[in-house]
Amino acid sequence: MINFYLVLFLVTVALFALITTFSNDIQRICKFKNHSDIQNIHAGSVPRYGGVIIFLPLFISTTIINYSDYINSIIFVSFFLVLISALEDLYFDISPLSRLISILLIATIFFYNQNIQLPHFNIHILNFEVTSEIFLFFFYVMCVTVMTNGMNLIDGTNGNSILNFIFFVTALLIVTNEINFNQFNIFLVSLLTVSIPFLMFNFPLGRIFLGDCGAYLLGFVVSLLIIYFYSLNSNLSPYAALLTIF
């Protein structure tokens, strides 16, 4: 596995190096839209498709590593989220409401097609356990939507979103390692392997940005992973999931 992680890391670094070196040529040839607005504090044009570069080696890794069906489904469904948000980053202006609806629909379709027991939780102040499958379904759809948009909201300064994501995944990795959840651990390490190269090019100089595509991807993936982990470990309190991301 060490060789796999090393190759994945080097491939990702090479992709970021190529993109940042030839970004102006790529933008001219592909006719990507310019992001020159009042919020732009960087000199020159900075590519905003770091999320696409993170996604590509992760997607390819599914052909090499036998992840679980749930994890493969996360990566597959993420493709549509990446596609929609990448189009907004590179070519079109898609309204925030349209993107929000897209996230809601993708999360709804994902959970509808998954045969997992969503984590129950207690509302202690009311001494009441929430077990309604319909309520849990829409509750976790909203959780994924909020987390996905939240990651985009904090993506305002170099390294902010990606560092938070790395901390989330590391915290989850520590917990899963304690219970020897090996199949899960492999994917978490893969996430770190493709995220760290982006951090190297994003912080502190800002040679490439996540874009909406990358921020949505990170929030979407980490929220689904946390829900999946606690659905398989009912002996753990779902409220512990909050400690993973706060």
Side-chain angles (χ1 to χ4, degrees):
M1 287 306 299
I2 293 177
N3 290 336
F4 165 74
Y5 294 134
L6 179 60
V7 171
L8 188 63
F9 177 81
L10 293 176
V11 167
T12 310
V13 169
L15 286 172
F16 279 118
L18 286 171
I19 290 298
T20 53
T21 301
F22 301 104
S23 61
N24 290 332
D25 296 323
I26 293 171
Q27 179 161 341
R28 185 181 66 255
I29 293 170
C30 297
K31 298 181 180 179
F32 294 153
K33 69 179 182 181
N34 277 318
H35 293 270
S36 54
D37 52 46
I38 195 170
Q39 294 178 313
N40 192 354
I41 62 173
H42 293 76
S45 177
V46 180
R48 302 195 178 205
Y49 39 90
V52 176
I53 310 304
I54 289 175
F55 179 76
L56 285 176
L58 200 61
F59 183 79
I60 294 172
S61 73
T62 61
T63 65
I64 302 171
I65 300 297
N66 186 26
Y67 299 127
S68 69
D69 291 340
Y70 182 90
I71 290 175
N72 286 334
S73 296
I74 291 177
I75 298 174
F76 175 76
V77 171
S78 296
F79 168 79
F80 298 99
L81 183 61
V82 168
L83 178 62
I84 294 169
S85 49
L87 288 174
E88 196 279 333
D89 280 327
L90 303 177
Y91 290 109
F92 311 112
D93 290 326
I94 301 176
S95 70
L97 179 59
S98 297
R99 283 178 274 156
L100 175 64
I101 293 173
S102 298
I103 296 169
L104 277 168
L105 287 175
I106 291 171
T108 300
I109 292 170
F110 178 84
F111 281 119
Y112 181 79
N113 286 282
Q114 293 302 311
N115 186 26
I116 63 169
Q117 178 69 47
L118 293 171
H120 297 179
F121 58 91
N122 291 308
I123 302 177
H124 295 290
I125 195 171
L126 301 177
N127 193 28
F128 177 72
E129 181 179 9
V130 179
T131 58
S132 169
E133 294 298 325
I134 296 177
F135 176 85
L136 290 171
F137 178 88
F138 287 105
F139 174 78
Y140 285 114
V141 166
M142 289 302 302
C143 286
V144 171
T145 303
V146 169
M147 184 69 180
T148 303
N149 276 283
M151 190 66 78
N152 191 38
L153 288 175
I154 66 172
D155 185 34
T157 56
N158 295 341
N160 197 13
S161 287
I162 194 66
L163 279 172
N164 274 278
F165 178 76
I166 289 173
F167 290 150
F168 298 158
V169 174
T170 302
L172 195 55
L173 183 60
I174 292 171
V175 175
T176 57
N177 191 57
E178 288 294 318
I179 60 175
N180 297 316
F181 201 176
N182 294 328
Q183 191 179 47
F184 204 73
N185 291 349
I186 292 172
F187 182 65
L188 292 176
V189 176
S190 296
L191 284 175
L192 292 176
T193 304
V194 298
S195 299
I196 292 173
F198 172 80
L199 179 64
M200 294 163 52
F201 286 87
N202 174 255
F203 182 82
L205 299 178
R207 295 182 62 191
I208 190 168
F209 297 155
L210 273 175
D212 289 345
C213 167
Y216 286 151
L217 173 66
L218 300 186
F220 188 74
V221 169
V222 78
S223 58
L224 290 176
L225 287 177
I226 291 172
I227 292 170
Y228 179 53
F229 173 71
Y230 284 95
S231 73
L232 296 179
N233 295 274
S234 57
N235 56 315
L236 300 176
S237 170
Y239 289 106
L242 297 176
L243 301 178
T244 306
I245 57 176
F246 291 108

